Amino acid sequence: MKKVLRGAKRRLSAGKIALRILTVFLVTVMLVLLTLLAAIFLLEKGPSTAARDMFVSTVRETSAVGFLANFFLTDAEIAAIENTPVEDVYVPTDTTLINIESPAERAADPSGHWTLSDLGLTDEDDDGIILDKVAGEGYSGFMLIVRNPARVIMGSVVESFGHRGYTVAELVAHFDAVAGMNAGGFQDPNGQGNGSLPNSTLVFDGTLYYDSWGNGTGFAGFDDKHILHVGQYSRQDIIDNNIQYGAAFGPVLVANGVAKDDSFFNEAVNPRTAIGQRADGAVLMLAIDGRQVTSLGARYSDLVKVMLRYGAVNACNMDGGSSSMMWYQGGYVNNTSSVVGIRPIPSSWLVLKEEAVSNG
Protein backbone atom coordinates (compact mmCIF):
# COMPACT_ATOMS: atom_id res chain seq x y z
CA MET A 1 0.00 0.00 0.00
CA LYS A 2 2.86 2.37 0.86
CA LYS A 3 4.53 1.61 -2.46
CA VAL A 4 1.36 2.51 -4.35
CA LEU A 5 1.10 5.82 -2.48
CA ARG A 6 4.73 6.64 -3.20
CA GLY A 7 4.10 5.93 -6.91
CA ALA A 8 1.08 8.23 -6.85
CA LYS A 9 3.14 10.93 -5.21
CA ARG A 10 5.78 10.51 -7.88
CA ARG A 11 3.15 10.82 -10.61
CA LEU A 12 1.68 13.85 -8.88
CA SER A 13 5.12 15.44 -8.66
CA ALA A 14 5.68 14.90 -12.38
CA GLY A 15 2.30 16.46 -13.09
CA LYS A 16 3.16 19.46 -10.96
CA ILE A 17 6.47 19.88 -12.79
CA ALA A 18 4.69 19.80 -16.15
CA LEU A 19 2.11 22.31 -14.89
CA ARG A 20 4.84 24.62 -13.64
CA ILE A 21 6.69 24.42 -16.97
CA LEU A 22 3.49 25.23 -18.85
CA THR A 23 2.76 28.12 -16.47
CA VAL A 24 6.24 29.57 -16.92
CA PHE A 25 5.91 29.24 -20.70
CA LEU A 26 2.51 30.97 -20.77
CA VAL A 27 3.68 33.74 -18.46
CA THR A 28 6.78 34.26 -20.64
CA VAL A 29 4.64 34.49 -23.78
CA MET A 30 2.32 36.96 -22.07
CA LEU A 31 5.26 39.09 -20.93
CA VAL A 32 6.72 39.08 -24.44
CA LEU A 33 3.37 40.10 -25.93
CA LEU A 34 2.89 42.83 -23.32
CA THR A 35 6.42 44.10 -23.98
CA LEU A 36 5.70 44.12 -27.72
CA LEU A 37 2.43 45.98 -27.22
CA ALA A 38 4.15 48.48 -24.94
CA ALA A 39 6.87 49.06 -27.53
CA ILE A 40 4.28 49.55 -30.28
CA PHE A 41 2.29 51.92 -28.06
CA LEU A 42 5.44 53.94 -27.32
CA LEU A 43 6.26 54.14 -31.03
CA GLU A 44 2.74 55.05 -32.13
CA LYS A 45 1.71 57.30 -29.24
CA GLY A 46 5.06 58.42 -27.88
CA PRO A 47 6.62 61.88 -28.16
CA SER A 48 8.60 61.18 -31.35
CA THR A 49 6.54 61.68 -34.50
CA ALA A 50 9.58 60.73 -36.59
CA ALA A 51 9.78 57.32 -34.87
CA ARG A 52 6.02 56.89 -35.29
CA ASP A 53 6.09 57.72 -38.98
CA MET A 54 9.06 55.42 -39.60
CA PHE A 55 7.43 52.53 -37.74
CA VAL A 56 4.06 52.91 -39.46
CA SER A 57 5.58 53.34 -42.93
CA THR A 58 7.90 50.37 -42.44
CA VAL A 59 5.30 47.85 -41.29
CA ARG A 60 2.70 49.09 -43.77
CA GLU A 61 5.05 48.20 -46.62
CA THR A 62 4.88 44.54 -45.59
CA SER A 63 2.13 42.05 -46.41
CA ALA A 64 2.36 40.02 -43.24
CA VAL A 65 2.66 42.52 -40.36
CA GLY A 66 1.03 45.67 -41.73
CA PHE A 67 -1.75 45.23 -39.15
CA LEU A 68 0.64 46.31 -36.38
CA ALA A 69 0.13 49.91 -37.44
CA ASN A 70 -3.57 49.67 -36.51
CA PHE A 71 -3.08 48.68 -32.88
CA PHE A 72 -3.18 52.21 -31.47
CA LEU A 73 -3.82 54.39 -34.53
CA THR A 74 -7.01 55.00 -36.47
CA ASP A 75 -7.27 54.56 -40.23
CA ALA A 76 -7.41 58.33 -40.59
CA GLU A 77 -4.19 58.78 -38.60
CA ILE A 78 -2.44 56.13 -40.71
CA ALA A 79 -3.69 57.75 -43.91
CA ALA A 80 -2.28 61.10 -42.77
CA ILE A 81 1.12 59.53 -42.11
CA GLU A 82 1.13 57.82 -45.52
CA ASN A 83 -0.03 60.94 -47.35
CA THR A 84 3.14 61.48 -49.38
CA PRO A 85 2.68 63.16 -52.77
CA VAL A 86 2.60 60.93 -55.85
CA GLU A 87 3.87 62.27 -59.15
CA ASP A 88 1.24 61.03 -61.58
CA VAL A 89 2.15 63.22 -64.56
CA TYR A 90 3.82 61.55 -67.52
CA VAL A 91 7.29 63.02 -68.08
CA PRO A 92 9.07 61.49 -71.10
CA THR A 93 12.51 59.99 -70.53
CA ASP A 94 15.16 61.99 -72.38
CA THR A 95 16.85 59.22 -74.35
CA THR A 96 19.59 61.60 -75.58
CA LEU A 97 21.11 61.49 -72.09
CA ILE A 98 22.08 57.84 -72.63
CA ASN A 99 24.90 57.01 -75.06
CA ILE A 100 25.31 53.25 -75.21
CA GLU A 101 28.66 51.84 -76.29
CA SER A 102 28.67 50.04 -79.61
CA PRO A 103 29.89 46.42 -79.82
CA ALA A 104 32.99 47.71 -81.61
CA GLU A 105 33.73 50.15 -78.79
CA ARG A 106 33.38 47.42 -76.21
CA ALA A 107 35.64 45.09 -78.18
CA ALA A 108 38.28 47.79 -78.69
CA ASP A 109 38.72 48.60 -75.01
CA PRO A 110 42.46 49.47 -74.85
CA SER A 111 42.76 48.76 -71.13
CA GLY A 112 42.18 45.05 -71.56
CA HIS A 113 39.57 45.23 -68.79
CA TRP A 114 36.35 47.22 -68.57
CA THR A 115 37.06 49.96 -66.05
CA LEU A 116 34.72 52.51 -64.48
CA SER A 117 37.22 55.20 -63.58
CA ASP A 118 34.60 57.35 -61.87
CA LEU A 119 33.93 54.52 -59.43
CA GLY A 120 37.40 53.01 -59.25
CA LEU A 121 36.01 49.64 -60.35
CA THR A 122 37.39 47.12 -62.85
CA ASP A 123 35.84 44.04 -64.42
CA GLU A 124 38.65 41.70 -63.48
CA ASP A 125 37.10 38.51 -64.90
CA ASP A 126 35.99 40.17 -68.17
CA ASP A 127 32.39 38.98 -68.04
CA GLY A 128 30.97 42.47 -68.58
CA ILE A 129 29.59 42.54 -65.03
CA ILE A 130 30.93 44.19 -61.88
CA LEU A 131 29.57 43.33 -58.43
CA ASP A 132 30.25 45.95 -55.78
CA LYS A 133 29.51 45.99 -52.07
CA VAL A 134 27.19 48.79 -50.92
CA ALA A 135 27.00 50.07 -47.36
CA GLY A 136 25.44 53.02 -45.59
CA GLU A 137 24.01 54.02 -42.24
CA GLY A 138 22.07 50.99 -41.04
CA TYR A 139 22.13 49.04 -44.30
CA SER A 140 24.30 46.99 -46.64
CA GLY A 141 23.80 45.28 -49.96
CA PHE A 142 25.16 44.85 -53.48
CA MET A 143 25.24 46.77 -56.74
CA LEU A 144 25.49 44.75 -59.95
CA ILE A 145 26.70 46.81 -62.92
CA VAL A 146 26.08 45.37 -66.40
CA ARG A 147 28.11 46.96 -69.18
CA ASN A 148 25.91 45.94 -72.13
CA PRO A 149 22.25 46.88 -71.48
CA ALA A 150 21.11 44.59 -74.30
CA ARG A 151 21.80 41.70 -71.94
CA VAL A 152 19.15 42.86 -69.43
CA ILE A 153 15.62 41.51 -69.96
CA MET A 154 12.47 40.84 -67.97
CA GLY A 155 12.35 37.23 -66.83
CA SER A 156 8.77 35.98 -66.52
CA VAL A 157 7.07 32.69 -67.30
CA VAL A 158 3.86 34.28 -68.53
CA GLU A 159 2.03 30.99 -69.03
CA SER A 160 2.37 30.38 -65.29
CA PHE A 161 0.73 33.66 -64.23
CA GLY A 162 -1.97 32.86 -61.70
CA HIS A 163 -0.69 29.31 -61.19
CA ARG A 164 2.81 29.38 -59.73
CA GLY A 165 5.71 31.72 -59.12
CA TYR A 166 9.44 31.13 -59.46
CA THR A 167 12.41 32.06 -57.33
CA VAL A 168 15.08 34.31 -58.82
CA ALA A 169 17.37 31.27 -59.10
CA GLU A 170 14.69 29.33 -60.99
CA LEU A 171 14.12 32.22 -63.40
CA VAL A 172 17.87 32.56 -63.98
CA ALA A 173 18.00 28.85 -64.85
CA HIS A 174 14.83 28.98 -66.98
CA PHE A 175 16.29 31.70 -69.21
CA ASP A 176 19.87 30.39 -69.07
CA ALA A 177 20.96 33.71 -67.59
CA VAL A 178 24.01 34.52 -65.50
CA ALA A 179 22.50 36.95 -63.00
CA GLY A 180 19.14 38.20 -61.83
CA MET A 181 17.12 39.99 -59.19
CA ASN A 182 13.43 40.40 -58.39
CA ALA A 183 11.40 43.03 -60.24
CA GLY A 184 7.68 43.90 -59.90
CA GLY A 185 5.24 43.18 -57.13
CA PHE A 186 2.55 40.53 -56.88
CA GLN A 187 -0.71 39.82 -55.13
CA ASP A 188 0.17 38.69 -51.64
CA PRO A 189 -2.86 38.54 -49.31
CA ASN A 190 -1.71 38.35 -45.68
CA GLY A 191 1.78 37.46 -46.86
CA GLN A 192 0.54 34.09 -48.10
CA GLY A 193 0.66 34.62 -51.89
CA ASN A 194 2.42 32.12 -54.14
CA GLY A 195 4.15 34.78 -56.22
CA SER A 196 2.29 33.87 -59.39
CA LEU A 197 0.17 36.92 -60.13
CA PRO A 198 1.60 40.40 -60.86
CA ASN A 199 -0.32 43.21 -59.19
CA SER A 200 0.57 45.94 -61.70
CA THR A 201 1.82 46.55 -65.23
CA LEU A 202 4.38 44.11 -66.60
CA VAL A 203 5.92 44.05 -70.08
CA PHE A 204 7.50 40.88 -71.40
CA ASP A 205 8.93 40.66 -74.91
CA GLY A 206 6.94 43.70 -76.02
CA THR A 207 3.58 42.44 -74.72
CA LEU A 208 1.73 44.16 -71.86
CA TYR A 209 0.19 42.22 -69.00
CA TYR A 210 -2.03 43.47 -66.16
CA ASP A 211 -1.71 47.11 -67.23
CA SER A 212 -5.32 47.72 -66.16
CA TRP A 213 -4.09 47.32 -62.58
CA GLY A 214 -1.94 50.44 -62.82
CA ASN A 215 1.69 51.33 -62.25
CA GLY A 216 1.85 51.83 -58.52
CA THR A 217 4.08 54.88 -57.96
CA GLY A 218 6.43 54.23 -60.86
CA PHE A 219 7.27 52.15 -63.91
CA ALA A 220 10.68 51.07 -65.23
CA GLY A 221 11.15 49.58 -68.68
CA PHE A 222 13.73 49.12 -71.45
CA ASP A 223 12.88 50.18 -74.98
CA ASP A 224 14.00 48.51 -78.21
CA LYS A 225 17.25 50.53 -78.06
CA HIS A 226 17.96 49.21 -74.54
CA ILE A 227 17.39 52.58 -72.87
CA LEU A 228 15.68 52.52 -69.48
CA HIS A 229 12.54 54.65 -69.12
CA VAL A 230 11.13 55.54 -65.70
CA GLY A 231 7.98 57.37 -64.68
CA GLN A 232 4.21 57.18 -64.83
CA TYR A 233 3.74 55.43 -68.17
CA SER A 234 0.27 54.65 -69.45
CA ARG A 235 -0.42 51.73 -71.77
CA GLN A 236 -0.14 54.04 -74.77
CA ASP A 237 3.09 55.59 -73.43
CA ILE A 238 4.60 52.12 -73.17
CA ILE A 239 3.54 51.29 -76.72
CA ASP A 240 4.69 54.63 -78.15
CA ASN A 241 8.12 54.25 -76.55
CA ASN A 242 8.56 50.66 -77.80
CA ILE A 243 9.08 49.29 -74.28
CA GLN A 244 10.12 45.65 -74.56
CA TYR A 245 10.69 44.70 -70.93
CA GLY A 246 9.34 46.46 -67.88
CA ALA A 247 7.65 46.31 -64.50
CA ALA A 248 5.80 48.71 -62.24
CA PHE A 249 6.32 49.34 -58.57
CA GLY A 250 7.99 52.64 -57.68
CA PRO A 251 8.65 55.21 -56.59
CA VAL A 252 10.89 56.74 -59.25
CA LEU A 253 14.24 57.65 -57.69
CA VAL A 254 16.08 59.55 -60.44
CA ALA A 255 14.61 60.85 -63.70
CA ASN A 256 16.55 62.50 -66.54
CA GLY A 257 19.52 63.00 -64.25
CA VAL A 258 17.52 64.70 -61.50
CA ALA A 259 16.97 63.11 -58.09
CA LYS A 260 13.42 63.02 -56.79
CA ASP A 261 12.75 65.30 -53.85
CA ASP A 262 12.63 63.65 -50.42
CA SER A 263 9.06 64.90 -50.00
CA PHE A 264 7.98 62.11 -52.35
CA PHE A 265 9.33 59.43 -50.01
CA ASN A 266 8.24 58.01 -46.67
CA GLU A 267 10.69 57.16 -43.91
CA ALA A 268 10.22 53.38 -44.03
CA VAL A 269 13.31 51.22 -43.55
CA ASN A 270 13.14 47.89 -45.36
CA PRO A 271 14.99 45.53 -47.72
CA ARG A 272 15.08 47.23 -51.12
CA THR A 273 15.53 46.47 -54.82
CA ALA A 274 16.08 49.09 -57.52
CA ILE A 275 17.14 49.33 -61.15
CA GLY A 276 18.86 52.20 -62.95
CA GLN A 277 21.01 53.17 -65.92
CA ARG A 278 24.16 55.25 -66.32
CA ALA A 279 24.85 57.74 -69.10
CA ASP A 280 27.15 55.18 -70.74
CA GLY A 281 24.25 52.72 -70.90
CA ALA A 282 25.48 50.40 -68.14
CA VAL A 283 22.60 49.00 -66.09
CA LEU A 284 22.58 49.32 -62.30
CA MET A 285 20.88 46.54 -60.31
CA LEU A 286 20.71 47.16 -56.57
CA ALA A 287 19.67 44.85 -53.74
CA ILE A 288 19.74 46.07 -50.11
CA ASP A 289 19.37 43.65 -47.20
CA GLY A 290 17.05 44.45 -44.31
CA ARG A 291 15.32 43.23 -41.14
CA GLN A 292 18.64 41.81 -39.98
CA VAL A 293 21.06 42.70 -37.20
CA THR A 294 23.78 43.66 -39.69
CA SER A 295 21.42 45.53 -42.03
CA LEU A 296 18.13 47.00 -40.83
CA GLY A 297 17.23 48.22 -44.30
CA ALA A 298 17.25 51.39 -46.39
CA ARG A 299 14.98 54.36 -47.00
CA TYR A 300 14.04 55.43 -50.52
CA SER A 301 16.21 58.50 -49.99
CA ASP A 302 19.13 56.13 -49.32
CA LEU A 303 18.51 54.45 -52.68
CA VAL A 304 18.61 57.84 -54.41
CA LYS A 305 22.02 58.58 -52.91
CA VAL A 306 23.38 55.16 -53.87
CA MET A 307 22.07 55.42 -57.43
CA LEU A 308 23.54 58.90 -57.88
CA ARG A 309 26.86 57.73 -56.48
CA TYR A 310 26.98 55.05 -59.18
CA GLY A 311 26.11 57.54 -61.91
CA ALA A 312 22.42 56.79 -62.50
CA VAL A 313 20.63 59.04 -64.98
CA ASN A 314 17.36 57.16 -64.44
CA ALA A 315 16.41 54.82 -61.61
CA CYS A 316 13.30 53.31 -60.05
CA ASN A 317 12.53 51.32 -56.93
CA MET A 318 11.22 47.79 -57.43
CA ASP A 319 9.52 45.33 -55.08
CA GLY A 320 11.45 44.91 -51.84
CA GLY A 321 10.90 43.28 -48.47
CA SER A 322 11.25 39.52 -48.35
CA SER A 323 11.27 39.41 -52.17
CA SER A 324 14.52 41.38 -52.44
CA MET A 325 17.06 38.89 -53.78
CA MET A 326 20.04 38.98 -56.17
CA TRP A 327 21.67 36.00 -57.91
CA TYR A 328 25.13 36.05 -59.51
CA GLN A 329 27.81 33.50 -60.32
CA GLY A 330 25.90 30.47 -59.13
CA GLY A 331 24.32 31.73 -55.92
CA TYR A 332 22.50 34.44 -54.02
CA VAL A 333 24.83 37.26 -53.04
CA ASN A 334 22.53 38.79 -50.44
CA ASN A 335 20.46 37.38 -47.59
CA THR A 336 16.71 36.88 -47.55
CA SER A 337 14.67 38.53 -44.83
CA SER A 338 11.94 35.89 -45.18
CA VAL A 339 11.57 33.44 -42.30
CA VAL A 340 10.15 30.83 -44.69
CA GLY A 341 12.98 30.91 -47.23
CA ILE A 342 13.36 32.34 -50.73
CA ARG A 343 10.00 33.56 -52.03
CA PRO A 344 8.62 32.77 -55.50
CA ILE A 345 7.89 35.82 -57.68
CA PRO A 346 6.29 36.50 -61.09
CA SER A 347 8.97 38.78 -62.55
CA SER A 348 12.70 39.40 -62.43
CA TRP A 349 15.42 41.42 -64.09
CA LEU A 350 17.82 38.98 -65.73
CA VAL A 351 21.28 39.31 -67.28
CA LEU A 352 21.76 37.05 -70.30
CA LYS A 353 25.04 35.59 -71.43
CA GLU A 354 26.90 37.96 -73.76
CA GLU A 355 26.79 35.44 -76.60
CA ALA A 356 22.99 35.20 -76.28
CA VAL A 357 22.59 38.84 -77.32
CA SER A 358 22.50 39.37 -81.09
CA ASN A 359 21.53 43.02 -81.36
CA GLY A 360 23.62 44.70 -78.72
Side-chain angles (χ1 to χ4, degrees), residues 137-292:
E137 185 177 352
Y139 67 87
S140 63
F142 292 90
M143 178 71 83
L144 194 76
I145 311 170
V146 185
R147 183 178 191 180
N148 181 4
R151 297 174 64 183
V152 180
I153 69 166
M154 173 60 58
S156 289
V157 185
V158 296
E159 58 269 23
S160 294
F161 286 166
H163 302 290
R164 62 156 294 188
Y166 297 80
T167 64
V168 173
E170 289 173 333
L171 288 166
V172 167
H174 182 86
F175 287 88
D176 195 25
V178 296
M181 75 177 187
N182 64 295
F186 55 93
Q187 292 194 26
D188 190 27
N190 301 317
Q192 302 297 315
N194 66 358
S196 69
L197 197 60
N199 63 359
S200 52
T201 302
L202 186 142
V203 186
F204 176 77
D205 203 17
T207 300
L208 279 76
Y209 298 87
Y210 303 101
D211 56 289
S212 63
W213 294 2
N215 285 343
T217 56
F219 172 84
F222 289 91
D223 65 20
D224 56 344
K225 300 295 191 298
H226 315 298
I227 293 176
L228 179 67
H229 295 241
V230 300
Q232 282 294 339
Y233 277 45
S234 67
R235 175 183 179 84
Q236 193 59 50
D237 296 329
I238 291 172
I239 294 172
D240 291 345
N241 286 282
N242 296 314
I243 303 299
Q244 300 300 299
Y245 300 103
F249 200 84
V252 171
L253 305 170
V254 184
N256 294 327
V258 179
K260 289 299 179 180
D261 188 89
D262 284 356
S263 63
F264 285 96
F265 308 134
N266 62 39
E267 288 298 305
V269 175
N270 272 309
R272 302 289 185 192
T273 300
I275 189 162
Q277 188 171 41
R278 290 164 47 93
D280 57 11
V283 176
L284 304 171
M285 299 168 63
L286 176 65
I288 298 291
D289 282 341
R291 304 172 191 166
Q292 301 167 31

Side-chain angles (χ1 to χ4, degrees), residues 4 17 44 46 67 75 93 103 126 134 141 143 147 171 195 204-205 225 228 254 260 274 303 307 328 330 342:
V4 174
I17 292 173
E44 295 186 355
F67 65 90
D75 290 341
T93 292
D126 293 322
V134 173
M143 178 71 83
R147 183 178 191 180
L171 288 166
F204 176 77
D205 203 17
K225 300 295 191 298
L228 179 67
V254 184
K260 289 299 179 180
L303 300 188
M307 281 294 182
Y328 177 54
I342 309 300

Side-chain angles (χ1 to χ4, degrees), residues 23-71:
T23 301
V24 170
F25 173 76
L26 292 176
V27 170
T28 301
V29 170
M30 290 180 63
L31 289 174
V32 170
L33 290 175
L34 288 173
T35 302
L36 178 61
L37 286 173
I40 293 174
F41 180 82
L42 183 62
L43 286 167
E44 295 186 355
K45 293 296 186 179
S48 174
T49 57
R52 179 202 64 191
D53 293 354
M54 179 181 291
F55 172 75
V56 170
S57 299
T58 298
V59 299
R60 290 280 291 178
E61 284 188 349
T62 70
S63 302
V65 297
F67 65 90
L68 294 178
N70 297 87
F71 275 13

Side-chain angles (χ1 to χ4, degrees), residues 322 336-344:
S322 55
T336 180
S337 64
S338 173
V339 296
V340 296
I342 309 300
R343 300 198 69 185

